[in-house]
Amino acid sequence: MISELAYLAFEVSDVPTWRTFVEEVLGLQVVQSAEDNGFIARMDGRCARFFISEGPADDLVAVGWQMDDAIALDGAVSKLEHAGFEVEHAPARDARGRFVQQLVRVTDPGGVPLELVLQPKKHDRKFTSGLVPSGFVTGEFGLGHVVLSAPDHEASARFYRDLLGFRLSDHIRTIFFGYPVSLSFWHCNGRHHSLAFGGATEKRLHHFMVEAVNLDEVGAA
């Protein structure tokens, strides 16, 4: 089974503005520049939680999900392939670039690229944030949550529930600014939801959430 939301990767046209956002608004720590003029950022003891690369998409390009263990990864791969999804076993170089031991790629029914990974690497230095000194709620709860575009809600529900083992937390149907909204919220650990999806949106990503330990720091942000 999936144990947590491990990381997010974005392709952006304005890397300097994203770096300002990551460091001076979110309070994350940029640890290194990437080969493609982007950068990598930390928010806890992991080597990397955000990967920012330069390009025209201005959108999410990968959602990293950590698997419990190799048995869970093999089981997920078997289910995905049996259901007709194309699975790519990434080369070791790509896994090292994500600071994980192993990486498998698949695309969900909404067109969102996923990376199923094993054993994300821990950093040898403690994470510190000048803006969020209390830190972020991660650990067994993962990075936070991500809300994705899902043009075919039922297809996405079957994919995440039946093939990847997510469990339904809530489902809401409402009217928002005159438009019908249908969202389902899914958990893979003790966090209320690590994943949510609804209808089609212009981009793959609707939003992501990171959780500060101290409420005052949310206000400061």
Side-chain angles (χ1 to χ4, degrees), residues 31-48:
V31 289
Q32 69 182 70
S33 297
E35 295 176 357
D36 51 15
N37 297 321
F39 62 87
I40 296 165
R42 298 175 63 204
M43 65 182 295
D44 60 3
R46 296 279 179 86
C47 284

Side-chain angles (χ1 to χ4, degrees), residues 148-152 198-203:
L148 304 174
S149 176
D152 186 335
T201 58
E202 182 181 353
K203 300 288 186 176

Side-chain angles (χ1 to χ4, degrees), residues 9-10 12 15 18 22 34 36-40 50-54:
F10 295 89
V12 304
V15 172
W18 260 82
V22 163
D36 51 15
N37 297 321
F39 62 87
I40 296 165
F50 289 84
F51 297 88
I52 310 299
S53 59
E54 186 176 41

